[in-house]
Amino acid sequence: MTQVANLLEGLNPAQREAVETVDGPLLIIAGPGSGKTRVITHRIAYLVQEYGVSPYSILAMTFTNKAAREMTDRLGRLAGPHAGALTVGTFHSFCARLLRIEGDFIGLSRNYSIFDDDDQISAIKQCLGQADYDPKRYPPRAVLSAISRAKNVLQDSQAMARDAAGYYFEEVCARVYRHYEELLARNNAVDFDDLLLRTVQLFREYPVVLQRYQDRYGYLMVDEFQDTNVAQYQLSRQLSQGHQNFCVVGDPDQSIYSWRSADVRNILNFKNDYPRAKVISLGQNYRSTANILNAAKGLIESNGKRLDHQLFTDNSTGQPVRVDEAYDEDEEAGKVIGEIKRLTREESFKLGDCAVMYRVNAQSRAMEEACLQQGVKYRLVGGTRFYQRKEIRDLTAYLRLVYNQQDDQTLARVVSVPPRGLGAKSMQQLGEWATGRGVSTFDAMREITLASRNKQPSPVSLPSRAASSIAKFVDLIERLVAISREAEVVKLIDVLLSESGLQKHIQESDERPEERWENVMDFRGIAQEFNAETPPDGLGSLLERTSLVSQVDDLEDAEDSITLITLHQAKGLEFPVVFIVGMEEGLLPHSRSLDSEEQTEEERRLCYVGMTRAEQRLYLMRAFRRNFRGGSGGPAAASRFLREIPEDLLVPAALSSTAARTVTSPQPGGGSSIRAAALAAASVAPSSGPALKVGDPVRHRAFGDGIVMACEVTASDVEVTVEFAGGVGAKRLLLSFAPLEKLSDSEDPGLGGR
């Protein structure tokens, strides 16, 4: 068999057409699981072996080093000795090498440095000072993000200043950007964004250099084209504008990185920018069952800004997508872990086959706890375990000190978080004096404070600023101790966050302040569970829970373990079994997207990406109430995405869980019958559910027959409380999603007189 036959063997018609189309602009729309990496590598090998293109003339760029390595490995097997002459890598690695060679044209020596994240933050702080701006008022991370966005659309500081006219924060960032440019130049350095910006600048200002690379790279291929930003697109156009042998591969339905400046319009408008472009759709999915694929198709078709292409599979129909409801995030997590244990016990799945995906990192907390409580191994991808995150450790350290002022280790952690003028030298002196006296460090602080209040000499020789800071710290802790003896845990946490300065410290931090604050609010939601205990027992129980969880061995390191991962991180992966949790309005789609149709469409694409990671089983989970973000756990409306999936592809799962909770409604009249509790007669009828009133008999596909106990109209839904027969008990359900059927009186489940 010839080499060419080997390259084409096993390809479907669309894949083969893509491999054999070698000249001119080409857009390959590659749906999920359609074998795009195979097509890219076989096309490159075909160019070399059949078409006679020198491998030296081929440039293939992608977005991650992992993808580049996989492509290189495959090409090594397909192209053999020719593979070494190919240029395969990320945009940034290509630009970094090019600037080493050509950077002199734009004043960049070949031994230039690339600033990493820490270098950039340090530099921005320095530039804020040079521009006479307070870094507490203008967080360096926020300023750097604004500068990064400007660079990704090819703006220097002057261009940013022009666009910023009239917008004060942007004007500040533009001024800092000017100082940052000067600092980078003095240090013969660039940052990550500059690798693209400076290469585009080089090509624009020195056509002779551009011509050299156009002549070399007669064939250009770009993978994941939907994720390109303005700078990457411009660079691609510069390289391909002469020969036009420009092949791009991507899927606008999987564009989920606008927050990284990715611009989905690059792929949507490709045909306009290259009118001669041929478009080939890789629509055959080799990954998912037909039911999973069709459910994902039904969802994504609600998006307006997309390229219509047919998705299909020859795989089996498979099981319907399973949907389940839980009362809160802890019951949701318990149900997920319970079902995974059933799958591993009763079917042929392993723990490593299962992935749990979620919108934001803070959602991992409930899943981690469920895994630990049920003894299930897990690995957390791309994040620190919830109770090990810095903001959570800082907050719990404060709470431990309030609970036990003799804990010197804990005091050492919190005394300078946030910074309060107590240096390492002062704390060392204080610790040595306390040790010599045989007292705790906090007791020593009390003595110093007492002496100051009584206008007596301090027992420890400390700078006046340090002594003043110690007095303020002692006052804070003693006030919190007093509150802990009288108030609920949540009240204590609220006062602590505010008066310690920890809230401001987190919200103004350089490192992901919004995400870190979400984690703190999730912890606050956990604390609400202990409000019912008598102070300070509630605090003690909360600390016991966090300590037991945080001291568990690193279960996630085991090979056969559940994968916990955000939807963004899951792109490019696949699993036999996928659970997507948090299918609620405000979470998926995220609340930040709800005022923008464009952002809502990206949230829909994100859900689509998650669904199409599943090979055999897909579960979509939601909770009626979620303490996430520290809220009161009010009713959460079902995600609109659940209503956009064809109903015939969904089935209620009714998953069991050892962690499931039954919500018991109070019975009016001191134990009178449920039927007698029908005191209200107002009917409620959301567009998606039956008209119901208190006392109506109903049937739920999972919970069976019951009686409506209460109806409450919320801002976006109707919440009903139903007492179910058969020992199920009371459940609170949202009518927009709950599969409730109103029964006739003759079908009354007869729960009265219980």
Side-chain angles (χ1 to χ4, degrees):
M1 186 178 291
T2 66
Q3 288 180 320
V4 173
N6 279 329
L7 288 173
L8 301 178
E9 184 181 9
L11 300 179
N12 65 41
Q15 291 174 330
R16 180 166 182 158
E17 183 183 8
V19 167
E20 294 180 311
T21 302
V22 295
D23 288 323
L26 172 63
L27 169 60
I28 301 174
I29 305 173
S34 60
K36 71 177 178 67
T37 304
R38 186 182 191 199
V39 169
I40 293 170
T41 52
H42 279 242
R43 184 175 185 272
I44 292 173
Y46 185 85
L47 282 169
V48 174
Q49 296 179 6
E50 173 66 11
Y51 216 63
V53 174
S54 167
Y56 185 77
S57 300
I58 298 174
L59 170 60
M61 291 193 288
T62 186
F63 277 79
T64 66
N65 289 315
K66 178 184 176 184
R69 284 194 301 270
E70 181 183 356
M71 199 179 297
T72 300
D73 290 344
R74 291 198 189 192
L75 285 168
R77 294 190 294 271
L78 291 171
H82 300 294
L86 297 165
T87 303
V88 180
T90 66
F91 275 94
H92 292 89
S93 64
F94 169 76
C95 291
R97 289 195 300 270
L98 188 147
L99 290 174
R100 296 280 180 207
I101 301 169
E102 312 286 359
D104 284 338
F105 283 92
I106 53 174
L108 197 63
S109 300
R110 63 183 303 113
N111 63 336
Y112 70 84
S113 300
I114 301 176
F115 275 18
D116 63 17
D117 188 71
D118 289 342
D119 296 328
Q120 289 177 271
I121 290 297
S122 177
I124 291 296
K125 288 178 179 177
Q126 185 176 336
C127 294
L128 280 164
Q130 292 172 345
D132 202 24
Y133 292 120
D134 183 356
K136 293 183 179 179
R137 184 176 180 187
Y138 303 102
R141 175 67 60 187
V143 174
L144 180 60
S145 294
I147 293 173
S148 177
R149 287 193 296 271
K151 289 187 177 187
N152 284 326
V153 294
L154 300 174
Q155 287 187 334
D156 59 13
S157 60
Q158 291 181 330
M160 186 182 188
R162 286 194 298 271
D163 279 3
Y167 298 92
Y168 186 69
F169 178 74
E170 285 76 7
E171 290 176 344
V172 169
C173 293
R175 295 188 189 103
V176 175
Y177 187 3
R178 178 170 57 81
H179 289 285
Y180 184 49
E181 286 175 325
E182 294 170 354
L183 184 150
L184 288 169
R186 287 195 304 272
N187 286 271
N188 187 35
V190 298
D191 63 20
F192 205 56
D193 297 316
D194 279 328
L195 294 172
L196 301 174
L197 175 67
R198 301 299 295 276
T199 303
V200 171
Q201 174 194 356
L202 171 66
F203 283 165
R204 182 186 296 148
E205 296 177 1
Y206 295 91
V208 65
V209 179
L210 173 59
Q211 186 66 52
R212 186 153 60 239
Y213 287 89
Q214 287 176 340
D215 291 344
R216 173 175 174 178
Y217 294 116
Y219 289 85
L220 172 63
M221 294 189 68
V222 176
D223 188 18
E224 302 287 4
F225 193 67
Q226 76 280 349
D227 294 333
T228 53
N229 59 30
V230 171
Q232 289 158 333
Y233 188 43
Q234 183 60 33
L235 176 62
S236 301
R237 293 209 68 179
Q238 287 174 323
L239 287 168
S240 65
Q241 64 187 14
H243 52 71
Q244 297 275 302
N245 295 325
F246 184 22
C247 172
V248 302
V249 185
D251 181 5
D253 289 340
Q254 298 186 67
S255 178
I256 58 174
Y257 295 121
S258 66
W259 49 280
R260 291 182 184 169
S261 300
D263 193 338
V264 70
R265 292 173 297 183
N266 291 345
I267 191 169
L268 293 175
N269 297 332
F270 186 81
K271 196 73 170 68
N272 295 331
D273 296 335
Y274 293 85
R276 296 192 302 110
K278 184 175 184 178
V279 180
I280 298 174
S281 176
L282 304 182
Q284 183 168 0
N285 178 288
Y286 293 93
R287 176 187 300 152
S288 305
T289 63
N291 277 335
I292 292 173
L293 184 64
N294 290 332
K297 281 172 54 181
L299 171 69
I300 202 63
E301 285 171 356
S302 296
N303 269 6
K305 295 179 181 177
R306 58 188 301 264
L307 298 175
D308 190 31
H309 62 116
Q310 296 300 313
L311 294 176
F312 66 95
T313 184
D314 290 338
N315 293 342
S316 65
T317 302
Q319 294 196 8
V321 176
R322 301 173 74 83
V323 184
D324 198 20
E325 313 152 336
Y327 177 67
D328 60 14
E329 68 268 33
D330 293 314
E331 183 182 32
E332 176 187 65
K335 286 190 167 192
V336 169
I337 302 306
E339 176 66 1
I340 290 175
K341 291 175 75 173
R342 187 195 68 78
L343 289 171
T344 60
R345 183 177 62 250
E346 300 178 8
E347 303 190 41
S348 59
F349 296 104
K350 304 186 298 293
L351 290 179
D353 294 331
C354 304
V356 183
M357 301 178 185
Y358 36 83
R359 177 62 178 83
V360 297
N361 277 313
Q363 288 176 264
S364 75
R365 190 274 310 167
M367 294 306 312
E368 290 180 69
E369 289 199 0
C371 287
L372 294 167
Q373 289 165 2
Q374 299 197 40
V376 175
K377 297 177 181 178
Y378 73 94
R379 65 187 184 103
L380 185 65
V381 177
T384 306
R385 288 180 297 157
F386 183 81
Y387 288 107
Q388 295 300 314
R389 292 168 187 165
K390 183 180 184 303
E391 59 275 13
I392 302 302
R393 294 185 68 188
D394 288 341
L395 176 53
T396 54
Y398 265 105
L399 293 173
R400 285 200 305 272
L401 185 61
V402 170
Y403 196 67
N404 173 20
Q405 295 90 62
Q406 307 306 304
D407 186 344
D408 283 359
Q409 290 293 107
T410 293
L411 185 145
R413 180 177 182 91
V414 304
V415 72
S416 295
V417 182
R420 46 175 51 89
L422 278 171
K425 185 175 180 181
S426 295
M427 289 304 299
Q428 181 181 355
Q429 285 181 262
L430 186 63
E432 290 173 352
W433 185 80
T435 302
R437 293 282 306 275
V439 299
S440 71
T441 304
F442 190 78
D443 284 340
M445 287 180 157
R446 278 197 182 109
E447 289 193 40
I448 293 171
T449 302
L450 184 61
S452 175
R453 288 171 181 164
N454 294 333
K455 301 188 183 305
Q456 296 174 349
S458 173
V460 184
S461 178
L462 294 172
S464 57
R465 182 185 178 192
S468 174
S469 297
I470 286 173
K472 291 178 182 177
F473 182 73
V474 168
D475 288 344
L476 168 68
I477 299 302
E478 289 184 336
R479 168 164 160 71
L480 295 174
V481 169
I483 292 173
S484 74
R485 292 169 178 162
E486 301 172 356
E488 295 176 333
V489 180
V490 167
K491 170 68 174 176
L492 170 65
I493 290 174
D494 289 342
V495 175
L496 187 162
L497 289 168
S498 175
E499 297 192 5
S500 70
L502 192 57
Q503 176 174 346
K504 184 178 180 182
H505 178 67
I506 293 170
Q507 293 178 334
E508 295 182 356
S509 67
D510 293 336
E511 295 291 332
R512 306 180 308 280
E514 184 175 344
E515 179 182 326
R516 293 180 64 196
W517 186 246
E518 281 184 344
N519 291 333
V520 170
M521 288 295 94
D522 192 27
F523 183 88
R524 183 184 184 278
I526 298 167
Q528 289 179 324
E529 300 175 22
F530 301 91
N531 277 351
E533 296 190 36
T534 304
D537 293 344
L539 176 58
S541 297
L542 173 63
L543 293 174
E544 179 181 329
R545 170 173 172 174
T546 60
S547 296
L548 290 175
V549 169
S550 62
Q551 291 175 14
V552 172
D553 292 338
D554 290 334
L555 296 179
E556 70 271 27
D557 291 337
E559 286 186 12
D560 188 24
S561 53
I562 299 169
T563 297
L564 306 182
I565 189 169
T566 67
L567 288 162
H568 281 102
Q569 293 163 335
K571 189 169 181 289
L573 304 178
E574 56 188 35
F575 300 89
V577 181
V578 168
F579 294 81
I580 301 179
V581 298
M583 295 289 297
E584 299 133 37
E585 289 291 295
L587 196 49
L588 188 63
H590 197 281
S591 57
R592 290 194 300 267
S593 73
L594 297 180
D595 293 332
S596 165
E597 181 180 351
E598 185 175 316
Q599 290 299 312
T600 300
E601 289 206 353
E602 177 154 331
E603 292 288 304
R604 188 176 287 109
R605 294 196 293 267
L606 185 60
C607 186
Y608 171 80
V609 165
M611 293 172 69
T612 54
R613 301 309 93 194
E615 297 173 349
Q616 300 175 42
R617 305 287 177 85
L618 175 61
Y619 298 78
L620 304 177
M621 311 290 296
R622 60 156 300 213
F624 295 126
R625 295 179 182 270
R626 192 173 291 273
N627 288 324
F628 178 64
R629 297 190 182 93
S632 60
S639 170
R640 67 191 69 188
F641 299 157
L642 290 170
R643 296 190 290 273
E644 294 170 358
I645 299 171
E647 189 175 350
D648 61 319
L649 300 174
L650 304 176
V651 295
L655 305 179
S656 62
S657 167
T658 56
R661 301 177 181 178
T662 299
V663 183
T664 306
S665 299
Q667 296 187 7
S672 58
S673 72
I674 290 176
R675 178 68 75 183
L679 303 177
S683 293
V684 290
S687 58
S688 58
L692 293 176
K693 63 181 183 296
V694 174
D696 279 343
V698 293
R699 177 169 295 155
H700 187 284
R701 279 179 282 178
F703 302 137
D705 294 347
I707 297 292
V708 175
M709 292 290 299
C711 298
E712 178 184 353
V713 179
T714 69
S716 58
D717 214 327
V718 177
E719 179 183 354
V720 295
T721 301
V722 180
E723 180 75 17
F724 289 98
V728 175
K731 296 283 185 181
R732 294 174 183 166
L733 310 171
L734 293 177
L735 285 189
S736 67
F737 190 70
L740 280 178
E741 173 190 357
K742 183 178 178 181
L743 303 178
S744 65
D745 288 339
S746 62
E747 296 174 284
D748 189 334
L751 299 180
R754 250 185 27 158

